[in-house]
Amino acid sequence: MNARVKKQYLLKPQHARTNRKMRDLVDQAVTAMPEVGIRKSAEFLASMHVPVEVAVRALVYPKRRRTVTPPSYRRR
């Protein structure tokens, strides 16, 4: 990866959420998980057509959601 491409990649927000409907569905599944279990939460997300990668990441690591900090934009 050359320096120009690397700089563009680092300046772009890596975890920007653009789909609010999917965010709300995942929030519902994660909130209900202690009561209904991971299997029912996964079935709910699958029935709502949430991508498998997103569902697995959100259900397996629920405490890590929204704790990702964007890359630093200051120069070194």
Side-chain angles (χ1 to χ4, degrees):
M1 183 181 303
N2 64 30
R4 182 176 171 201
V5 173
K6 186 175 181 180
K7 182 178 179 183
Q8 289 176 345
Y9 175 79
L10 290 174
L11 292 178
K12 185 172 64 171
Q14 300 299 312
H15 299 282
R17 287 187 174 89
T18 56
N19 189 336
R20 292 181 180 177
K21 181 180 178 187
M22 189 179 310
R23 178 198 65 193
D24 292 340
L25 292 171
V26 172
D27 283 343
Q28 287 176 359
V30 170
T31 303
M33 195 168 51
E35 297 169 11
V36 299
I38 194 167
R39 184 178 193 152
K40 290 286 186 183
S41 295
E43 289 172 358
F44 167 73
L45 291 176
S47 70
M48 294 299 193
H49 307 291
V50 173
V52 174
E53 301 85 25
V54 174
V56 168
R57 186 174 60 237
L59 295 177
V60 174
Y61 304 109
K63 294 197 185 333
R64 290 179 51 187
R65 295 185 71 236
R66 296 196 181 105
T67 60
V68 177
T69 56
S72 175
Y73 294 112
R74 66 189 155 115
R75 296 193 131 191
R76 293 179 188 200

